[in-house]
Amino acid sequence: MASSAASSVRPPRPKKEPQALVIPKNAAEEQKLKLERLMKNPDKAVPIPEKMSEWAPRPPPEFVRDVMGSSAGAGSGEFHVYRHLRRREYQRQDYMDAMAEKQKLDAEFQKRLERNKIAAEEQTAKRRKKRQKLKEKKLLAKKMKLEQKKQKEDQNQRVSCEVPAVPGLRVCMSDRPDPRLGVLRRVLRNSELFPWHFVYWTGLFP
């Protein structure tokens, strides 16, 4: 008996530390206090309220046993029963109209979203095509520029000494450009009489 009484004795609860009273002055301080209170014991489950379900009227009965109206001959209490039934029926009809309007607005919103999405995709495709054209045009211009540069380099590598057909003058063909050939071309172009012995003396042609 004594052992059962001793086992039924609960251990004393730990005393809580006294906390200073803090009165929040604004919403930010109130939120801060709530967060501090939650973080003191992170293992404690936080109650998260569920979303309230939308109000819906009570469904109509499958079989109406007492059909009544507000006609003459009914008792004084029956009119109030009829009035409540009529009010519930009006609420049900209003609810049905509101739901139909909501569904109509949702359908229109979805259609508008689809139209906007299709228009955005078309605009994106158009801009992508334009960017691709510009990119191809730039690549083509760059390729043509490289080809022209290559052709110019090839022409510079194959330098020919083109001089008028003069008896006793030899013509030299060289793959390496010689800066002295430019001097020779300018002299040939600017003077009708050319001292051919100058060619041999300067060593332009071996």
Side-chain angles (χ1 to χ4, degrees):
M1 189 76 178
S3 62
S4 63
S7 62
S8 63
V9 176
R10 297 180 179 178
R13 294 182 178 180
K15 294 183 178 180
K16 295 183 179 181
E17 297 180 359
Q19 298 179 358
L21 180 62
V22 179
I23 300 176
K25 296 181 181 180
N26 49 30
E29 291 185 1
E30 184 179 359
Q31 188 71 16
K32 182 180 178 181
L33 290 175
K34 289 182 180 179
L35 290 175
E36 289 178 354
R37 193 181 303 114
L38 287 174
M39 295 305 296
K40 282 182 180 179
N41 189 8
D43 297 333
K44 184 179 179 181
V46 179
I48 300 176
E50 298 181 357
K51 184 179 178 181
M52 296 181 62
S53 59
E54 190 176 357
W55 177 86
R58 186 171 60 182
E62 296 181 359
F63 183 76
V64 180
R65 298 183 181 277
D66 299 329
V67 180
M68 63 188 71
S70 60
S71 59
S76 60
E78 300 297 332
F79 173 75
H80 300 289
V81 175
Y82 164 76
R83 185 165 58 86
H84 292 307
L85 292 175
R86 184 183 62 182
R87 178 176 55 83
R88 282 199 295 269
E89 180 63 19
Y90 286 165
Q91 286 181 350
R92 188 179 70 85
Q93 292 179 3
D94 293 341
Y95 174 77
M96 291 172 62
D97 294 341
M99 290 300 295
E101 185 68 20
K102 183 179 178 182
Q103 292 177 0
K104 180 181 177 182
L105 293 176
D106 290 343
E108 292 179 355
F109 178 71
Q110 292 296 331
K111 290 181 180 179
R112 188 161 59 251
L113 281 181
E114 290 294 330
R115 289 197 300 269
N116 293 342
K117 185 177 179 181
I118 293 172
E121 289 178 355
E122 291 178 354
Q123 188 72 13
T124 303
K126 186 177 179 181
R127 292 177 179 175
R128 189 189 302 114
K129 188 176 180 181
K130 186 177 181 180
R131 289 195 303 270
Q132 190 67 21
K133 285 184 177 180
L134 290 175
K135 188 176 180 180
E136 293 176 356
K137 189 175 180 181
K138 287 182 179 179
L139 289 175
L140 184 61
K142 187 176 180 181
K143 187 177 179 180
M144 292 178 64
K145 188 175 181 180
L146 289 175
E147 290 180 355
Q148 292 177 0
K149 186 177 180 181
K150 189 175 180 181
Q151 291 177 1
K152 190 174 181 180
E153 290 178 356
D154 294 342
Q155 290 177 0
N156 291 334
Q157 288 179 1
R158 294 193 301 265
V159 177
S160 62
C161 303
E162 299 178 359
V163 296
V166 178
L169 180 65
R170 293 184 297 171
V171 179
C172 174
M173 301 293 292
S174 175
D175 292 337
R176 293 178 298 178
D178 195 339
R180 296 175 294 176
L181 297 176
V183 177
L184 177 60
R185 289 195 186 97
R186 288 196 296 273
V187 171
L188 290 173
R189 185 169 57 249
N190 297 329
S191 63
E192 297 179 357
L193 299 177
F194 183 76
W196 303 111
H197 59 276
F198 176 76
V199 177
Y200 296 96
W201 291 347
T202 54
L204 289 175
F205 303 110

